[in-house]
Amino acid sequence: MFAAERRQLILEMVRANGAVSLRELARVVQTSEVTVRRDVRALEAEGLLDRRHGGAVLPGGFSREPGYPQKTHLAAAEKSAIADLAAGLVEEGDAVVVGAGTTTQELARRLARVPGLTVVTNSLLVAQALAHANRVEVVMTGGTLRGSNYALVGSGAEQSLHGLRVSKAFISGSGLTAERGLSTTNMLSASVDRALVQSAAEVIVLADHTKLGADTMFQTVPTEGITRLVTDEHATADDPTARELDALADCGVQIDIAPLGLPAEPTVHGTGTGHQAPVGPGPRRAALPPGPAPLPGQRRPGAHGLHPRPLASGRS
């Protein structure tokens, strides 16, 4: 494939999805990530797209949000793996809040099997995924429907969350950096997400590798407010995203890596001493692949005072 053809295909993929990882671009155009990175630089020089850590986005990525149909096809396997792992963090009888997003929708489908669970959400998609779960109680916020992501936003949604207290908040966004934390492209969505996380003892961010290093317009949760990040194994394979994980771990965020193509086995990414940490009734942890990222270690204390615990052994 000639360079011009390759770059046209790359541009079409980014236009269709809003954001695409270098790994995915390389797979589709059947070339190396080094070549794709060079193509992305050339397209950026022409003002046709913007580079991000480990991927490419349309120009104006600080404010542009892909529509729901686009987002469902972006990093679908990674979102599924993240949801598998995150579901293991929820125990029978828990009360949790789940924010809007395609990754949290995947999580909700798995939470339908957790008995005695109470889920508070502003997402119609999350509520729909749990609608036929007989042993799960779903509590929806009020608010005004935002059609692009099927979420309830505005003062009605925020006021309905006042006085709420739950064990965990599961939330997604458009970008995540160690410097600024979780962010999104829409002011109303950011405001409701902030109200959701304020109700929780632990804040768990679900973000695939395409979100790492991306910084969008409205901050949702500062880094010090994030207890835990669940991401996919591709985040450790690219130097910029691996460095972002290191920086997040240095800020006290506990990081779990969901492997692809296998039963979910989280990996702690940090600077500990070689122990692995259990995640409750869910799957065991897997070892990080070799590379620049640190070896699996003890849990780092999170922003909510979590302390290291001994780890159960896991498969690699």
Side-chain angles (χ1 to χ4, degrees):
M1 185 181 295
F2 293 110
E5 296 174 307
R6 204 170 53 238
R7 291 171 187 177
Q8 181 60 36
L9 181 55
I10 289 170
L11 190 57
E12 289 172 1
M13 287 182 64
V14 175
R15 284 173 174 168
N17 295 286
V20 187
S21 69
L22 292 177
R23 182 183 296 271
E24 181 65 12
L25 290 172
R27 184 188 68 79
V28 172
V29 302
Q30 298 182 341
T31 189
S32 69
E33 289 187 37
V34 172
T35 300
V36 166
R37 188 177 285 109
R38 187 164 56 243
D39 290 336
V40 167
R41 286 198 191 101
L43 292 168
E44 183 183 44
E46 297 178 37
L48 298 174
L49 51 73
D50 290 339
R51 283 187 297 160
R52 291 288 182 268
H53 290 317
V57 301
L58 285 178
F62 272 88
S63 59
R64 186 187 181 279
E65 179 182 25
Y68 172 74
Q70 296 171 327
K71 289 192 287 188
T72 56
H73 298 294
L74 180 62
E78 290 86 343
K79 292 173 182 177
S80 180
I82 289 168
D84 284 340
L85 193 159
L89 306 178
V90 180
E91 300 178 1
E92 180 176 347
D94 267 350
V96 301
V97 296
V98 179
T102 51
T103 311
T104 52
Q105 180 187 18
E106 286 295 317
L107 171 63
R109 290 175 177 143
R110 290 148 178 82
L111 295 184
R113 300 188 292 268
V114 181
L117 184 65
T118 300
V119 176
V120 181
T121 186
N122 70 318
S123 169
L124 299 187
L125 298 173
V126 168
Q128 182 184 43
L130 295 167
H132 300 293
N134 294 329
R135 296 177 294 177
V136 178
E137 181 179 1
V138 180
V139 179
M140 294 207 68
T141 69
T144 302
L145 178 63
R146 183 169 180 254
S148 62
N149 65 345
Y150 300 93
L152 297 170
V153 297
S155 60
E158 295 171 42
Q159 289 171 10
S160 66
L161 294 165
H162 287 171
L164 180 70
R165 192 63 174 168
V166 297
S167 61
K168 302 176 183 73
F170 294 90
I171 190 167
S172 189
S174 302
L176 177 65
T177 66
E179 180 181 4
R180 194 157 172 255
L182 187 67
S183 61
T184 189
T185 57
N186 182 266
M187 180 173 63
L188 293 175
S189 294
S191 186
V192 174
D193 285 349
R194 283 193 290 268
L196 286 170
V197 301
Q198 286 170 4
S199 68
E202 297 182 41
V203 177
I204 301 168
V205 171
L206 311 182
D208 64 74
H209 67 282
T210 66
K211 309 288 180 62
L212 292 176
D215 190 9
T216 55
M217 199 166 185
F218 300 98
Q219 185 190 58
T220 302
V221 189
T223 307
E224 61 269 20
I226 300 171
T227 309
R228 190 173 197 148
L229 165 65
V230 183
T231 189
D232 62 90
E233 66 180 10
H234 287 163
T236 64
D238 184 82
D239 285 347
T241 53
R243 286 194 295 269
E244 200 71 57
L245 289 181
D246 288 340
L248 286 163
D250 287 342
C251 292
V253 178
Q254 180 183 323
I255 297 173
D256 292 334
I257 308 297
L260 301 175
L262 295 168
E265 296 185 2
T267 298
V268 175
H269 186 92
T271 56
T273 57
H275 294 288
Q276 296 179 332
V279 294
R284 294 177 296 170
R285 301 185 180 276
L288 275 173
L295 292 174
Q298 241 179 359
R299 284 185 170 182
R300 298 178 59 87
H304 293 265
L306 295 181
H307 294 283
R309 292 188 292 175
L311 295 175
S313 61
R315 297 174 298 178
S316 58

